[in-house]
Every structure is written in C-alpha cells, then in structure tokens.
Amino acid sequence: MRALLLSSFDAPPALADRPEPVPAPGEIRLRIAACGLNFADLLMAKGTYQDTPEPPFVLGLEVSGRIDAVGPGVTGLSVGDRVAVYGGQGGLAEMGCFPADRAVRLPETMGWQDAAAFQIAYGTSHLALDHRARLAPGETLLVLGAAGGVGLTAVEIGKLMGARVVACARGADKLAAAQAAGADHLIDASTQDIRAEVKALGGADVVYDPVGGAQFTAAFRACRPEGRILTIGFASGEVPQIKANHLLVKNLTVMGLYWGGYLGFRPEVLTGSLSQLMAWHAQGRIRPHISHDLPLDRALEGMALLKDRKSTGKVVITIADP
C-alpha cells in the first residue's frame, strides 16, 4: 500500500510503499477513503506536537473509511461498516489499523470527505464552547483565525448556540467564508485594530483563540469583566505570556482545550459531544467547509496550503472509494 511516511524529523515526509497492516487485538483495519489535514500534522512533521510518536510513522490524524478486517476481541463493529476514526497517526495511507473504541459509525447521510473533516474541527469547537466556556445565548463570542479549520466551526457552532459572533481573519475571502458560516460582525486582522473593533461592539464574553501571539493580547484586552478566553492553539508560532494581575483585575478566566486529551481521562465527554454533532449534521444544521480536496499524491501540497494559510475550513485528502 502507499502511505505518506515521515522517516525522520530532519527530512520531509514522502510517499512510500508499505506492507499491508494486520490488526492487533482491539483494532480494526480500514480501507481508507479520506483523511482530514490539521495544523497538528505540520507540528508532527517537525516533532513539536504534544503527541508525536518516534519516526518512522505515517502522518494523518483523522480518517474515514470502511472496515475490512477486525482484530481479536473487537465487538460491535463488523467488516463493511462505514466509520470515522481519530487515530492520531496513520491516516495518509491506503489502509490503516486503528483502535476499535475510537471508531464512530457514519450515518448514510454523511459522505467520506465530510466525515474525514468532521471530528477534530467540530469536536474541538463544541467541547471548547459548550463544555469548557459554557457559552450562553446572547453572549458575544470573538473567534480568532475564524476561517481556519477549527475557527470556522467555532463561528458555526457559536451561532447555533445563540451567541453574537465576531469573526476575525485576514483578507476579504476568508472573512466571506466566516460570514457564510454565520458571523454577525467581521474584523480584518490585517488592516483593523482588533481591540478597538471589539471594544466598540461592547467587548467579548468568550474568546476562541487558535492563533496566539499579538492577536491573543488584543483579544485579552477587549474582554468584558468575567470574560473567558479559550486557548486552542498557536498558529502564529508565539505562545502568549499572561499577566496574572490582569486576570485578577477584570475577573477573567483563561482555559485550555486539547480535544484529543479527553480520550485519556474523560472519553464520555468527547463521545457525547460527537453524538450531538452527528445529530446536528444529520439535521443539516452544520456542514464542513472543505476548500481543497486533493488525492494522496498531492498530500504535501495540501500540507503546504495549511502552512501558507491559503486554505479556508478544511483540506481533505481523498484516497479511495472503498
């Protein structure tokens, strides 16, 4: 089978021929249909992501596909089932083995590409806004990086939860994508003062930040008293340093959200969130925005689109129709 293999952190990943994997106890094997790319894939290729395995390994955190073999001890899943899986690695390949307890059955209304683009982006935003920040109807939500893979879902889910959504992104095209996802107000981060614009709207109750750096600082200063700031990631490359006395003065809360971490300590929270998201998708209330759908031999091009911030929503690698 073909797979995008990272042999060393000192060399770029490359397509390679690999032996077909055999499922271990508790695993399923998929004929992979599609793999959603994430900013974390870029970090893993450099060895800087929190859950990076030692090379060699196959990149690709989340996949959709059809089960073609089950390992010993697997119950409740069968050959032929259509599923999505957050595997953490192994997705950019024609086949892969993944933990059976991470597989989510797909409704017939969900296609392969939507399924591959769904779990991390929507799961992150829903857990962040609902479980962590307790976003309430009528509150003002500021979304930084609002046209990115997670940012666009935060706009969509925030609006669905009844918030007034302020979307911040760079350039007219990206802001148009955020507006189409439901944003009420738009801020161009390349030309406008984020703090001034948000303050003019009355301040933010909740900030969703996958960017970090200077944008975090501006958003921090634009929070209303008792504001909640969600740190989702640091696409800017700069991890902000927070002055605790400023938290005290405005009664602010800064909280982190690592979606994959819930698999280790509270998987039921993640499972419940995905059930709600799947129901919303089936009702037509949310729909992944996929700006690029590329074949496996163009996977590196897809990663470059993320690195250069030339995509909106998700980039998906389509591998086969199993």
Side-chain angles (χ1 to χ4, degrees), residues 34-37 64 110-118 121-122 147-149 152-153 156 177 281 287-294 305 310-318:
C35 178
L37 296 187
S64 61
M110 183 177 284
W112 297 124
Q113 285 75 18
D114 274 12
F118 195 81
Y122 279 108
L152 206 57
T153 63
E156 199 174 0
H281 184 278
R287 188 71 58 193
H289 175 89
I290 299 170
S291 66
H292 295 81
D293 182 0
L294 304 172
L305 288 167
K310 292 183 177 179
S311 61
T312 55
K314 294 286 284 190
V315 175
V316 169
I317 305 301
T318 294

Side-chain angles (χ1 to χ4, degrees), residues 1-6 13-22 28-37 41 57-66 68 85 87-98 112 116 294-300 303 316-322:
M1 68 166 194
R2 295 185 306 154
L4 190 70
L5 184 69
L6 185 78
L15 279 176
D17 288 322
R18 303 277 286 171
E20 291 189 359
V22 176
I28 56 173
R29 185 174 69 189
L30 296 188
R31 296 278 178 181
I32 297 174
C35 178
L37 296 187
D41 289 305
F57 65 90
V58 175
L59 290 167
L61 279 74
E62 58 179 335
V63 300
S64 61
R66 193 180 299 276
D68 83 334
V85 181
Q89 60 173 297
L92 288 168
E94 293 173 328
M95 301 176 69
C97 292
F98 305 98
W112 297 124
L294 304 172
L296 182 58
D297 58 10
R298 294 176 63 188
L300 290 179
M303 293 177 67
V316 169
I317 305 301
T318 294
I319 296 166
D321 184 358

